Amino acid sequence: MKRLKLYLILGFLFTAVLGTIWHFLYDWTGRGAIAALFFPVNESTWEHMKLIFFPMLLCTVFLAARFKEEYPCLPGALLAGNLLGTLSIPVTFYTYKGIVGRSFPAADIVVFLAGVLIAFRTAWVLRESPAVCQYRNLIYLFTACFAVLFFVFAFFPPAIGLFAKP
């Protein structure tokens, strides 16, 4: 259990650092179509959700392979955490912006880091959950749907506030 906890802490750090770098990779890679699928293409809240989703997905693949024997529910727990952490970005951002009246870059960074923390804390809490094992296919389906939506909306964003450039 201590080893998993250490790996989840390292996963948190990996996702936080990679998510921060992720913010700039679309521009750094020349704004290509493939890059648009994974990296934020603009400053919209929706595109910033990619900062948690894809780095944590990479982390999930590694951790699921590393702990598949000891924690068979861990992949589902990590993916459930990823979904919750990713969804926490618009909820937290629009809540604080609604209260304060505008956004602040420092607060936006805290929103991102809080989302990563929520994701990994959720994974830790659910690591041995029978419900996660029972509903893992549904969790996998929601994760796949999110990935597809990120891909589609990178090129065809709906005309609503979540997708608007500030």
Side-chain angles (χ1 to χ4, degrees):
M1 179 126 21
K2 285 184 180 182
R3 199 164 37 128
L4 176 61
K5 193 173 199 175
L6 173 64
Y7 273 85
L8 288 176
I9 291 168
L10 293 173
F12 167 84
L13 295 172
F14 171 83
T15 302
V17 170
L18 189 59
T20 301
I21 295 168
W22 218 257
H23 188 274
F24 306 101
L25 286 175
Y26 180 65
D27 288 332
W28 291 352
T29 59
R31 298 178 167 246
I34 300 296
L37 297 174
F38 301 99
F39 309 130
V41 298
N42 60 44
E43 292 295 320
S44 73
T45 305
W46 173 262
E47 289 294 318
H48 278 78
M49 292 166 64
K50 290 178 181 178
L51 301 180
I52 292 178
F53 186 82
F54 288 111
M56 186 160 178
L57 199 57
L58 291 173
C59 190
T60 296
V61 170
F62 172 77
L63 291 174
R66 175 71 182 87
F67 290 99
K68 66 183 171 189
E69 300 299 323
E70 297 168 80
Y71 297 96
C73 298
L74 187 62
L78 286 161
L79 292 176
N82 191 2
L83 292 169
L84 191 60
T86 299
L87 289 170
S88 76
I89 286 182
V91 170
T92 310
F93 173 75
Y94 287 117
T95 299
Y96 102 74
K97 187 178 172 191
I99 292 168
V100 176
R102 68 184 200 100
S103 64
F104 297 92
D108 296 344
I109 293 167
V110 170
V111 166
F112 163 69
L113 292 174
V116 178
L117 182 62
I118 288 167
F120 279 92
R121 178 68 181 150
T122 300
W124 173 256
V125 169
L126 297 177
R127 71 192 179 280
E128 296 181 288
S129 169
V132 168
C133 282
Q134 181 181 354
Y135 294 107
R136 71 176 164 250
N137 289 337
L138 188 59
I139 295 168
Y140 297 163
L141 177 64
F142 279 129
T143 301
C145 287
F146 253 82
V148 168
L149 290 174
F150 280 127
F151 295 163
V152 170
F153 293 156
F155 300 103
F156 306 105
I160 62 173
L162 182 64
F163 299 90
K165 299 173 195 170

